[in-house]
Amino acid sequence: MSGDAQEAAVDLVVAGAGGGLAGALRAAQAGLSVLVVDPDEQFLRGNNTSMSTAMVPGAGSRWQREAGIEDSPERFVADIAAKTHGTADPALAAALARISAPLVEWLADEAGLPLSLVTDFAYPGHSVHRLHTVEGRHGSTLLRHLYDRVRSAPGIDLLVPARLIDVERGAGGEVTGAVVEDPGGHRETIPTRAVLLATNGYGADRELVARHLPEIAAADYHGGQFSRGDGLRIGLRHGARAAYLDAYQGHAALARRSRTLVGWATIMHGAIMVDRDGRRFGDETTGYSEYAAALAARPEARGWIVLDRRVHDLCLPFTDFRQTVDAGALVWADDLDTLARRTGCDPAALKESIAGQAAQAGGSADRDAFGRTFFEEPLRAPYAAVEVIPALFHTQGGLAVDGDARVLTEDGSPVPGLFASGGAAHGISGHGAGGYLAGNGLLPALGLAWQAATALSHTHTHAERHEHS
């Protein structure tokens, strides 16, 4: 086991060096001692935070005010309720919406993230522009900034590679230690008064995925290899309650050839998706998560995103899209007959799909057969197509938590000193894939970690006052 952990007890052990780093930094700023453990030596590019598009919602942020955008936590909660058809946990949704703007401002001011507001297009389900991101719009950049701040912060040690396998509790049920294991199987117990489970969900455990997410179980998993449900199992072992285990973020735009993310910005700028025969099969703008299941249900679970040079150029700010282009995953053609031949699509079906898009975008058609209302501009030659497959990105259900990220038991009482964030906690996407809003992964990952540290620091301050009274 390598790292610079100390023998002495720490105030907080953070299991997971993704969004959990926000909690580590927040706790250290409050004067707490922190140890971060992670089993992945390549976590800076191998976990789900690093693989994200770095979109963090902030309802009522200063960037929105500067842009003249009116937003509020209440409006955000209403959007969550609408997207999830009222199935999301209203208390957790309200808590995360309430801290979303303070969170993004803290990320910029205290964590040093160069954030900006995304205004070039609207993500499905968000009624206003409220997503904030970094240059390149890639989670690896976001995570690198957090990591650099963590490494320079006094009071934070890292132990990598090391995997949290359990927590120890005292006679009163409170957390007293974190049991960690190195790759060689050596175990040690680190005395601590709190543990934050920031280990992500169970997307890498195919058995759990098959049990809880059968509709997407055959799809490619595109997430961290250590997202094996460790946090879920540890919590359940200590009497915690699980919730929304059928919730997940899927994606219908994983390039088959390069296994890189094409990105839904293509769709929102006017691209369409067709199946292997060249036929559209739904309203693509409903959301990339639920469209993964729709694509999985098509013949051979394959399709094509069809775009043009304008859409291509508009999507270049996204690192994921540039990687897809650089990998040679796009097929170009000067006309639709050539595109049909190069993709294997039926020429008549492909032409009908493109003609329908052009008619809708040009305003010469009354209503799209699938209910799509926005196509931006007609697609024009030269055309490009990229073959896509459905993917599971991460699970959205986990241990039941309250607004302070405290893990809850079956009777609703918290397990003293045990917190969960991100995919280890139940999220705000309701059930299935249809309730996922862009940012629903990073907001609980960063926000609940941030809240856990805040709650722990308040407890620490109260205890100190009590000792000196």
Side-chain angles (χ1 to χ4, degrees):
M1 188 178 293
S2 62
D4 48 5
Q6 299 176 353
E7 292 292 328
V10 296
D11 293 309
L12 173 65
V13 170
V14 177
L21 294 184
L25 188 58
R26 176 77 163 176
Q29 289 175 338
L32 304 181
S33 57
V34 185
L35 174 66
V36 179
V37 299
D38 196 289
D40 188 359
E41 290 183 288
Q42 307 300 323
F43 66 86
L44 284 171
R45 60 175 181 269
N47 66 31
N48 281 60
T49 299
S50 70
M51 295 179 185
S52 73
T53 52
M55 299 288 175
V56 188
S61 74
R62 65 171 181 256
W63 293 272
Q64 288 179 308
R65 293 193 297 273
E66 291 168 1
I69 296 172
E70 293 186 9
D71 196 12
S72 66
E74 293 75 21
R75 184 168 186 170
F76 188 12
V77 170
D79 287 347
I80 293 169
K83 193 70 166 63
T84 63
H85 302 288
T87 62
D89 179 344
L92 187 60
L96 286 172
R98 186 170 57 252
I99 69 163
S100 62
L103 172 67
V104 294
E105 293 177 6
W106 176 86
L107 287 170
D109 299 338
E110 302 297 331
L113 267 68
L115 293 175
S116 61
L117 186 67
V118 179
T119 59
D120 47 356
F121 66 92
Y123 275 90
H126 289 286
S127 61
V128 295
H129 296 304
R130 65 166 65 96
L131 294 172
H132 304 72
T133 192
V134 294
E135 185 179 358
R137 304 184 183 189
H138 199 267
S140 60
T141 301
L142 180 151
L143 188 57
R144 170 58 70 175
H145 276 281
L146 281 177
Y147 173 72
D148 288 345
R149 284 301 174 103
V150 163
R151 290 302 293 159
S152 63
I156 304 178
D157 291 313
L158 278 84
L159 192 58
V160 180
R163 176 187 172 204
L164 179 76
I165 60 171
D166 207 351
V167 297
E168 292 187 351
R169 300 167 68 192
E174 74 283 1
V175 168
T176 59
V179 184
V180 300
E181 182 180 79
D182 70 11
H186 172 71
R187 295 184 179 183
E188 65 176 293
T189 299
I190 299 167
T192 183
R193 64 190 184 91
V195 169
L196 170 61
L197 301 171
T199 56
N200 203 259
Y202 60 86
D205 187 313
R206 304 311 293 177
E207 181 181 346
L208 286 177
V209 170
R211 183 190 312 169
H212 297 295
L213 312 173
E215 69 178 22
I216 202 69
D220 273 36
Y221 171 60
H222 193 71
Q225 62 172 318
F226 290 98
S227 298
R228 302 170 183 169
D230 287 353
L232 176 63
R233 291 187 181 89
I234 291 171
L236 293 177
R237 194 178 302 139
H238 291 274
R241 176 172 61 89
Y244 296 96
L245 290 181
D246 62 336
Y248 68 96
Q249 184 212 340
H251 214 300
L254 188 68
R256 187 186 73 83
R257 178 175 175 178
S258 58
R259 290 309 199 266
T260 54
L261 182 63
V262 182
W264 220 239
T266 55
I267 296 295
M268 302 311 294
H269 280 307
I272 60 173
M273 184 179 293
V274 298
D275 62 17
R276 66 173 189 177
D277 295 325
R279 294 180 175 86
R280 287 182 61 222
F281 49 92
D283 176 6
E284 302 92 334
T285 62
T286 55
Y288 50 82
S289 181
E290 56 265 56
Y291 222 65
L295 179 58
R298 304 306 293 177
E300 297 185 10
R302 295 181 184 182
W304 294 87
I305 291 178
V306 183
L307 57 148
D308 61 7
R309 180 64 65 182
R310 181 189 67 87
V311 175
H312 169 278
D313 292 348
L314 287 170
C315 294
L316 287 176
F318 288 85
T319 299
D320 287 313
F321 184 75
R322 291 199 307 273
Q323 291 174 342
T324 301
V325 172
D326 292 343
L330 272 65
V331 175
W332 287 92
D334 290 331
D335 57 73
L336 292 178
D337 283 320
T338 303
L339 188 66
R341 185 173 66 253
R342 291 180 177 174
T343 59
C345 292
D346 176 80
L350 183 60
K351 288 177 181 179
E352 182 180 353
S353 296
I354 297 298
Q357 190 276 351
Q360 290 293 329
S364 60
D366 293 333
R367 183 179 181 277
D368 176 55
F370 300 104
R372 180 170 171 175
T373 59
F374 184 71
F375 291 86
E376 201 158 284
E377 290 188 20
L379 296 174
R380 299 180 176 89
Y383 303 101
V386 54
E387 191 175 16
V388 290
I389 55 175
L392 168 64
F393 271 34
H394 56 83
T395 55
Q396 285 276 293
L399 300 172
V401 297
D402 63 12
D404 286 328
R406 299 182 300 175
V407 173
L408 304 177
T409 62
E410 291 289 348
D411 65 6
S413 60
V415 179
L418 189 60
F419 301 86
S421 62
H426 84 282
I428 53 174
S429 296
H431 296 284
Y436 187 84
L437 282 163
N440 274 17
L442 279 184
L443 179 58
L446 300 167
L448 285 176
W450 193 70
Q451 278 294 86
T454 302
L456 184 62
S457 66
H458 290 165
T459 303
H460 182 70
T461 301
H462 177 76
E464 284 187 332
R465 288 174 179 170
H466 182 72
E467 289 176 1
H468 291 92
S469 62

